[in-house]
Structure formats: C-alpha cells, structure tokens
Amino acid sequence: KANLHKPVRAYIAVGKEGVQMEGDAKKLHTILSNTKNVKTWLVSFPNESHLTIQHNALYKGFVLMGK
C-alpha cells in the first residue's frame, strides 16, 4: 500500500492501442484512483495511435492538471 503524504496527480492517456494496452490503462487508473491522496484522470483518444497520441495527450494533460 502507498503511504503518500502529499497529494499526487496522475494523468493517463490511451489511444486506439488494442485490448491489452487499453485494458492495462483502465486497470492502472482503477488502482491509482483507489489510492489515498491520488487524483487521476483517464482520457481516451480513439482517433490516435501510439505514433500520433503524444502531442494531443500532453496538451490535454497540461489543461486538466492545470486546473
């Protein structure tokens, strides 16, 4: 179990990567969201792949976590 004293923010982005990668992203989100002091976001980019997701995912992450 995590012993986090300071709040942690985690942003997870996943594109159209297939069942394994998309499922693992959802599992990671579930684990982190059930951890005390961790705020998580899981954002799906269905029109993006491993090769094209980076810029859009980073931008969206900065917007979400900047709030």
Side-chain angles (χ1 to χ4, degrees):
K1 283 209 164 197
N3 185 13
L4 302 172
H5 300 288
K6 294 182 180 180
V8 173
R9 298 180 297 168
Y11 169 74
I12 304 163
V14 65
K16 192 68 175 167
E17 303 286 344
V19 175
Q20 174 88 36
M21 184 68 98
E22 292 171 42
D24 287 347
K26 289 176 185 173
K27 287 178 191 176
L28 177 60
H29 178 258
T30 300
I31 290 167
L32 293 175
S33 64
N34 289 321
T35 303
K36 185 179 176 181
N37 289 335
V38 178
K39 169 126 174 99
T40 61
W41 295 268
L42 173 62
V43 179
S44 177
F45 291 87
N47 296 325
E48 304 290 346
S49 71
H50 186 77
L51 296 175
T52 63
I53 194 172
Q54 183 178 5
H55 293 102
N56 287 332
L58 285 171
Y59 176 78
K60 182 72 171 184
F62 288 138
V63 169
L64 283 174
M65 295 179 79
K67 291 183 178 180

